[in-house]
Amino acid sequence: MPKTSFPTIPSSEITSEEKFINRRDFIQKTSQGLLASSAALILPSAMADSEFNLKHEITSYKDITTYNNFYELGTSKSDPSKNAKWLKPHPWSIEVSGLVNKPGKIDIEDILKIPTEERVYRMRCVERWSMVIPWEGFELNKLLQKFEPKAEAKYVEFKTILDPENLYGQRFPVLQWPYVEGLRMDEAMHPLTLMATGIYGKKLLSQNGAPIRLVIPWKYGFKGIKSIQKIRLLDREPRTSWNKAAPNEYGFYANVNPKVHHPRWRQNKERRIGEFRRRKTLLFNGYQEQVASLYKDMDLKKYF
Ligand SMILES: Nc1nc2c(c(=O)[nH]1)N[C@H]1C(S)=C(S)[C@@H](COP(=O)(O)O)O[C@H]1N2
Ligand SMILES: [Mo]
């Protein structure tokens, strides 16, 4: 994967949204200059273009932190930011169990010692809106490797905190709680799959899944489970919350695919939050170059 797909800026340098945007402008100008010269010969142009476009499209911090899906904090888009205080991200730990040689718990303080980097990803929700988010995080494979996955491990299951006393949304049976998601092992180990701990260089707010959540940019948003407390490695596909709630609407794979429609609406267009005109939705959300090989022998209409 070309290095250019991941602009990395140490989080220590990022202090505010304004400074962030200014530095991005500077990087854009520099890379434009470079592209006009010898670097154009080295960089695959599609990648350079999409990277260039992404930098122009970053969603505002306000939209990213006030337009959310997090049913534990309420079912409307504005609920999670209003009810953010229900979720207490400290103390926190993640328990890793199942098919690993070294099962155990890791405290958030130790998780945060894993070096992070910035990854600007397009995100696409099943509800046909999308954002471009500058995540701060590390590859999930870095965390999983600490627990030494066994060869029989084929899938990973993730669970959100279960706390109906404080998380009022969990008192309503919209979904089976806790929220559960899953990935195939090769998807989990893929370098694009991120454990995010921040946005715009700031710590994750509760509405975005503090203190740590999953981000898989080629899949629909619901795969990106928030506020993770449990990870289990399995030899079978885990049952996931949305798949249990509506199996014909939410498949296990949930790869962004403009040709596979939700039974109640088409999936070939999307509205980028902050924009008016609708955009065409891209296969694998535009990450096909990096991930298509994971699914090369699969019928993606059957395994949606
Ligand atoms: N625990 C939990 N994780 C969740 C959800 C949820 O309701 N609960 N919603 C999902 C959905 S549908 C989307 S689109 C994304 C939204 O993430 P964002 O609010 O950070 O953009 O979170 C996903 N992760
Ligand atoms: Mo979503």
Side-chain angles (χ1 to χ4, degrees):
M1 205 174 313
K3 231 185 155 180
T4 49
S5 59
F6 308 133
T8 62
I9 291 165
S11 58
S12 56
E13 283 184 21
I14 300 168
T15 50
S16 69
E17 183 175 356
E18 193 187 350
K19 195 173 158 199
F20 184 92
I21 302 266
N22 285 340
R23 196 178 41 247
R24 290 226 155 258
D25 280 347
F26 172 74
I27 292 164
Q28 270 159 37
K29 278 173 200 132
T30 324
S31 61
Q32 269 176 289
L34 279 173
L35 286 174
S37 63
S38 59
L41 302 170
I42 306 160
L43 301 173
S45 62
M47 190 63 77
D49 280 354
S50 90
E51 189 49 39
F52 178 78
N53 287 335
L54 272 185
K55 285 170 187 163
H56 277 287
E57 292 165 8
I58 300 178
T59 306
S60 74
Y61 189 65
K62 182 155 192 266
D63 282 340
I64 296 172
T65 53
T66 56
Y67 191 89
N68 303 101
N69 271 340
F70 197 171
Y71 281 12
E72 289 86 337
L73 303 180
T75 51
S76 89
K77 298 283 173 286
S78 54
D79 283 341
S81 56
K82 284 184 206 144
N83 302 326
K85 57 183 173 308
W86 296 349
L87 177 75
K88 312 220 177 340
H90 288 283
W92 199 274
S93 62
I94 296 183
E95 186 191 297
V96 181
S97 65
L99 298 169
V100 288
N101 289 324
K102 293 185 170 171
K105 257 191 185 181
I106 179 167
D107 283 335
I108 191 67
E109 285 71 24
D110 292 320
I111 295 172
L112 294 174
K113 285 179 192 151
I114 302 173
T116 61
E117 56 183 304
E118 181 207 290
R119 298 268 184 98
V120 182
Y121 282 164
R122 287 180 290 267
M123 307 301 299
R124 168 65 154 76
C125 177
V126 142
E127 295 165 288
R128 291 171 298 183
W129 47 271
S130 63
M131 295 190 187
V132 178
I133 302 184
W135 299 105
E136 193 71 34
F138 55 82
E139 292 173 11
L140 171 63
N141 61 57
K142 300 229 164 81
L143 179 67
L144 293 181
Q145 269 149 16
K146 289 184 187 289
F147 298 87
E148 297 183 6
K150 294 187 180 176
E152 310 92 88
K154 294 285 181 286
Y155 294 90
V156 189
E157 177 195 71
F158 304 85
K159 284 186 182 163
T160 295
I161 177 179
L162 180 65
D163 181 17
E165 206 129 299
N166 294 303
L167 302 175
Y168 200 68
Q170 288 183 336
R171 299 189 197 181
F172 302 91
V174 245
L175 291 172
Q176 277 183 36
W177 309 111
Y179 195 100
V180 179
E181 255 310 332
L183 292 172
R184 209 170 58 191
M185 199 64 188
D186 57 346
E187 299 176 322
M189 301 306 276
H190 192 281
L192 281 178
T193 302
L194 214 63
M195 287 293 260
T197 55
I199 289 174
Y200 271 106
K202 299 179 230 237
K203 272 200 305 193
L204 271 193
L205 299 180
S206 290
Q207 57 266 42
N208 292 106
I212 187 160
R213 57 90 61 85
L214 193 63
V215 173
I216 316 121
W218 71 93
K219 292 180 182 279
Y220 290 115
F222 69 88
K223 297 295 286 185
I225 179 171
K226 295 175 171 178
S227 306
I228 298 166
Q229 282 198 334
K230 288 187 177 150
I231 296 179
R232 194 155 62 115
L233 279 74
L234 302 168
D235 57 6
R236 55 165 177 89
E237 197 179 284
R239 296 294 315 277
T240 63
S241 293
W242 279 105
N243 187 252
K244 278 191 214 164
N248 62 326
E249 300 186 8
Y250 307 102
F252 176 79
Y253 285 92
N255 289 321
V256 175
N257 192 335
K259 295 207 174 97
V260 176
H261 301 301
H262 189 281
R264 291 180 279 136
W265 56 75
R266 296 175 73 75
Q267 287 292 20
N268 57 346
K269 296 258 176 68
E270 67 196 61
R271 193 174 69 84
R272 191 62 58 76
I273 299 298
E275 291 181 356
F276 182 69
R277 188 180 56 89
R278 291 201 300 160
R279 293 167 171 264
K280 277 193 182 147
T281 289
L282 303 171
L283 180 63
F284 299 120
N285 202 24
Y287 297 93
Q288 61 269 53
E289 209 175 308
Q290 291 101 321
V291 302
S293 62
L294 298 178
Y295 311 102
K296 63 180 184 312
D297 298 321
M298 290 174 67
D299 174 355
L300 296 179
K301 290 210 159 125
K302 185 172 173 212
Y303 298 100
F304 63 97

